[in-house]
């Protein structure tokens, strides 16, 4: 591995760590796009590498900080973890068996939907602009 790749991978990790700690995201929205767009990983390689990278640091260190502040619902996290453990195997099999172009399109749609949800585009479109008060000089 050359020095430039090492620095790029470290940068991806640092950026994803900040985003993960701030927003609870990292793998699918930060690491995978960075690996595929900046470092030439295939989408499946990016997903696999992201999963491996997130195993311990995010699960332990990030959650620990939220736990210390009394913001972590341990019971809810454990219930979600059961679902994750079961269905991540299914998701991996789907990703490995889909044609690359189909997987890439599905991933792109996922990112667009997530972006639209967080931007609240439909809410913005539904809002009416505030009335403008016209002031006449006497």
């Amino acid at each position: 591995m050359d020095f430039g790749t090492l620095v790029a991978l470290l940068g991806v990790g640092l950026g994803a760590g900040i985003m993960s700690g701030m927003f609870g995201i990292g793998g699918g929205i930060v690491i995978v796009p960075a690996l595929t767009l900046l470092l030439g990983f295939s989408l499946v390689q990016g997903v696999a590498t992201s999963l491996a990278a997130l195993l311990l640091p995010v699960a332990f260190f990030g959650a620990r900080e939220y736990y210390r502040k009394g913001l972590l619902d341990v019971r809810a996290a454990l219930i979600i973890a059961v679902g994750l453990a079961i269905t991540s195997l299914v998701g991996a099999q789907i990703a490995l068996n889909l044609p690359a172009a189909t997987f890439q399109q599905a991933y792109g749609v996922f990112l667009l939907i997530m972006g639209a949800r967080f931007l609240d585009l439909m809410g913005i479109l539904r809002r009416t602009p505030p009335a403008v008060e016209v002031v006449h000089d006497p």
Side-chain angles (χ1 to χ4, degrees):
M1 178 181 306
D2 66 32
F3 182 73
T5 302
L6 179 66
V7 170
L9 290 170
L10 182 59
V12 169
L14 292 171
I18 290 169
M19 299 298 281
S20 177
M22 289 175 61
F23 304 121
I25 61 171
I29 297 176
V30 178
I31 296 173
V32 174
L35 292 177
T36 58
L37 297 173
L38 301 176
L39 293 165
F41 281 54
S42 74
L43 187 54
V44 174
Q45 284 178 307
V47 169
T49 303
S50 172
L51 285 172
L54 290 169
L55 280 176
L56 181 62
V58 172
F60 180 73
F61 295 114
R64 182 184 69 183
E65 290 306 308
Y66 285 107
Y67 179 80
R68 286 180 176 174
K69 299 292 184 185
L71 299 169
L72 175 63
D73 185 330
V74 175
R75 185 181 330 179
L78 289 173
I79 292 168
I80 292 168
V82 169
L84 283 168
I86 294 167
T87 57
S88 65
L89 296 171
V90 174
Q93 286 303 313
I94 292 170
L96 290 168
N97 290 299
L98 278 177
T102 303
F103 185 49
Q104 186 172 344
Q105 290 166 348
Y107 185 71
V109 168
F110 164 75
L111 290 178
L112 288 172
I113 291 170
M114 292 288 85
R117 293 280 302 170
F118 281 105
L119 289 173
D120 191 24
L121 293 179
M122 294 310 292
I124 291 169
L125 295 174
R126 283 191 302 267
R127 291 185 191 116
T128 56
V132 176
E133 183 180 327
V134 178
V135 178
H136 296 281
D137 288 331

Short mmCIF file of all heavy atoms in Angstrom, two decimals, residues 1 11 15 17 19 23 37 45 56 59 79-80 91 93 95 103 106-107 116 127 132 135-137:
data_model
loop_
_atom_site.label_atom_id
_atom_site.label_comp_id
_atom_site.label_asym_id
_atom_site.label_seq_id
_atom_site.Cartn_x
_atom_site.Cartn_y
_atom_site.Cartn_z
N MET A 1 0.86 -1.17 0.00
CA MET A 1 0.00 0.00 0.00
C MET A 1 0.90 1.23 0.00
O MET A 1 1.78 1.35 0.84
CB MET A 1 -0.90 -0.02 1.23
CG MET A 1 -1.80 1.18 1.33
SD MET A 1 -2.89 1.20 2.79
CE MET A 1 -3.71 -0.34 2.67
N GLY A 11 -7.82 9.44 6.19
CA GLY A 11 -8.73 10.58 6.07
C GLY A 11 -10.19 10.15 6.02
O GLY A 11 -11.06 10.77 6.65
N GLY A 15 -12.87 11.31 8.84
CA GLY A 15 -14.13 11.97 8.45
C GLY A 15 -15.35 11.16 8.86
O GLY A 15 -16.32 11.70 9.39
N GLY A 17 -15.51 9.01 11.25
CA GLY A 17 -15.62 9.00 12.71
C GLY A 17 -16.32 10.24 13.22
O GLY A 17 -17.18 10.17 14.10
N MET A 19 -18.41 12.15 11.46
CA MET A 19 -19.81 12.07 11.02
C MET A 19 -20.59 11.05 11.84
O MET A 19 -21.75 11.26 12.18
CB MET A 19 -19.87 11.73 9.54
CG MET A 19 -19.21 12.76 8.64
SD MET A 19 -19.97 14.38 8.74
CE MET A 19 -21.39 14.08 7.71
N PHE A 23 -23.69 12.34 13.85
CA PHE A 23 -24.99 12.06 13.25
C PHE A 23 -25.39 10.58 13.29
O PHE A 23 -26.46 10.22 12.82
CB PHE A 23 -24.99 12.50 11.78
CG PHE A 23 -24.65 13.94 11.58
CD1 PHE A 23 -23.56 14.30 10.81
CD2 PHE A 23 -25.39 14.94 12.18
CE1 PHE A 23 -23.22 15.63 10.61
CE2 PHE A 23 -25.07 16.27 12.00
CZ PHE A 23 -23.98 16.62 11.21
N LEU A 37 -15.62 6.35 -4.73
CA LEU A 37 -15.36 7.52 -5.58
C LEU A 37 -13.92 8.01 -5.52
O LEU A 37 -13.37 8.45 -6.52
CB LEU A 37 -16.31 8.67 -5.19
CG LEU A 37 -17.78 8.38 -5.38
CD1 LEU A 37 -18.62 9.53 -4.81
CD2 LEU A 37 -18.11 8.16 -6.86
N GLN A 45 -16.92 -4.10 -2.56
CA GLN A 45 -15.71 -4.01 -1.74
C GLN A 45 -15.83 -2.87 -0.72
O GLN A 45 -15.40 -3.01 0.42
CB GLN A 45 -14.49 -3.72 -2.61
CG GLN A 45 -13.96 -4.89 -3.39
CD GLN A 45 -12.79 -4.44 -4.24
OE1 GLN A 45 -12.89 -3.47 -4.99
NE2 GLN A 45 -11.67 -5.14 -4.11
N LEU A 56 -15.69 -2.40 15.65
CA LEU A 56 -15.36 -2.06 17.03
C LEU A 56 -15.39 -0.56 17.32
O LEU A 56 -16.05 -0.15 18.27
CB LEU A 56 -14.00 -2.64 17.41
CG LEU A 56 -13.57 -2.35 18.85
CD1 LEU A 56 -14.55 -2.97 19.83
CD2 LEU A 56 -12.19 -2.88 19.09
N ALA A 59 -19.05 1.00 17.33
CA ALA A 59 -19.92 0.29 18.27
C ALA A 59 -19.52 0.56 19.71
O ALA A 59 -20.38 0.70 20.57
CB ALA A 59 -19.89 -1.20 17.97
N ILE A 79 -32.16 -4.80 21.09
CA ILE A 79 -33.21 -5.34 20.22
C ILE A 79 -32.88 -5.08 18.76
O ILE A 79 -33.00 -5.96 17.91
CB ILE A 79 -34.58 -4.73 20.60
CG1 ILE A 79 -34.99 -5.24 22.00
CG2 ILE A 79 -35.64 -5.09 19.56
CD1 ILE A 79 -36.16 -4.50 22.60
N ILE A 80 -32.41 -3.87 18.46
CA ILE A 80 -32.00 -3.55 17.09
C ILE A 80 -30.84 -4.45 16.67
O ILE A 80 -30.79 -4.93 15.54
CB ILE A 80 -31.63 -2.06 16.96
CG1 ILE A 80 -32.89 -1.20 17.13
CG2 ILE A 80 -30.95 -1.78 15.64
CD1 ILE A 80 -32.60 0.28 17.30
N GLY A 91 -28.73 -9.27 3.79
CA GLY A 91 -28.31 -8.13 2.97
C GLY A 91 -27.01 -8.38 2.24
O GLY A 91 -26.86 -8.01 1.07
N GLN A 93 -25.84 -11.29 1.29
CA GLN A 93 -26.10 -12.24 0.20
C GLN A 93 -26.77 -11.55 -0.98
O GLN A 93 -26.46 -11.83 -2.14
CB GLN A 93 -26.96 -13.41 0.71
CG GLN A 93 -26.21 -14.37 1.58
CD GLN A 93 -24.99 -14.95 0.87
OE1 GLN A 93 -25.05 -15.38 -0.27
NE2 GLN A 93 -23.85 -14.92 1.54
N ALA A 95 -26.45 -8.35 -1.81
CA ALA A 95 -25.42 -7.52 -2.45
C ALA A 95 -24.46 -8.36 -3.28
O ALA A 95 -24.06 -7.95 -4.37
CB ALA A 95 -24.64 -6.74 -1.38
N PHE A 103 -26.96 -3.14 -8.25
CA PHE A 103 -26.60 -2.80 -6.88
C PHE A 103 -26.24 -1.32 -6.78
O PHE A 103 -26.66 -0.63 -5.85
CB PHE A 103 -25.45 -3.69 -6.42
CG PHE A 103 -25.06 -3.50 -4.98
CD1 PHE A 103 -26.02 -3.49 -3.97
CD2 PHE A 103 -23.74 -3.35 -4.61
CE1 PHE A 103 -25.66 -3.33 -2.64
CE2 PHE A 103 -23.37 -3.18 -3.29
CZ PHE A 103 -24.33 -3.18 -2.30
N ALA A 106 -29.48 0.72 -6.95
CA ALA A 106 -30.23 0.60 -5.70
C ALA A 106 -29.58 1.45 -4.61
O ALA A 106 -30.26 2.13 -3.83
CB ALA A 106 -30.32 -0.86 -5.27
N TYR A 107 -28.25 1.43 -4.56
CA TYR A 107 -27.52 2.21 -3.56
C TYR A 107 -27.73 3.71 -3.81
O TYR A 107 -27.94 4.47 -2.88
CB TYR A 107 -26.04 1.84 -3.61
CG TYR A 107 -25.23 2.49 -2.54
CD1 TYR A 107 -25.36 2.11 -1.22
CD2 TYR A 107 -24.34 3.51 -2.84
CE1 TYR A 107 -24.61 2.71 -0.23
CE2 TYR A 107 -23.59 4.11 -1.86
CZ TYR A 107 -23.73 3.70 -0.55
OH TYR A 107 -23.00 4.31 0.43
N ALA A 116 -33.15 13.25 0.74
CA ALA A 116 -34.44 13.95 0.65
C ALA A 116 -35.14 13.96 2.01
O ALA A 116 -35.72 14.98 2.41
CB ALA A 116 -35.32 13.31 -0.41
N ARG A 127 -44.80 24.12 2.54
CA ARG A 127 -44.87 25.36 3.32
C ARG A 127 -45.25 26.53 2.41
O ARG A 127 -44.77 26.66 1.30
CB ARG A 127 -43.54 25.66 3.99
CG ARG A 127 -43.21 24.68 5.07
CD ARG A 127 -41.94 25.07 5.80
NE ARG A 127 -41.54 23.98 6.66
CZ ARG A 127 -40.43 23.27 6.52
NH1 ARG A 127 -39.56 23.59 5.58
NH2 ARG A 127 -40.15 22.28 7.32
N VAL A 132 -46.24 38.95 2.82
CA VAL A 132 -45.42 40.16 2.79
C VAL A 132 -46.32 41.35 3.08
O VAL A 132 -47.36 41.54 2.43
CB VAL A 132 -44.74 40.33 1.40
CG1 VAL A 132 -43.97 41.62 1.34
CG2 VAL A 132 -43.86 39.14 1.11
N VAL A 135 -46.08 48.29 3.03
CA VAL A 135 -46.14 49.51 3.82
C VAL A 135 -46.22 50.68 2.87
O VAL A 135 -45.41 50.81 1.96
CB VAL A 135 -44.90 49.65 4.73
CG1 VAL A 135 -44.94 50.95 5.51
CG2 VAL A 135 -44.77 48.45 5.64
N HIS A 136 -47.26 51.50 3.05
CA HIS A 136 -47.42 52.70 2.21
C HIS A 136 -46.97 53.92 3.00
O HIS A 136 -47.35 54.11 4.14
CB HIS A 136 -48.90 52.88 1.82
CG HIS A 136 -49.40 51.74 0.96
ND1 HIS A 136 -49.13 51.64 -0.36
CD2 HIS A 136 -50.18 50.66 1.29
CE1 HIS A 136 -49.71 50.55 -0.85
NE2 HIS A 136 -50.34 49.94 0.14
N ASP A 137 -46.18 54.73 2.36
CA ASP A 137 -45.76 55.99 3.01
C ASP A 137 -46.91 56.98 2.90
O ASP A 137 -47.50 57.16 1.84
CB ASP A 137 -44.53 56.58 2.31
CG ASP A 137 -43.28 55.77 2.61
OD1 ASP A 137 -43.24 55.18 3.71
OD2 ASP A 137 -42.39 55.70 1.76
#
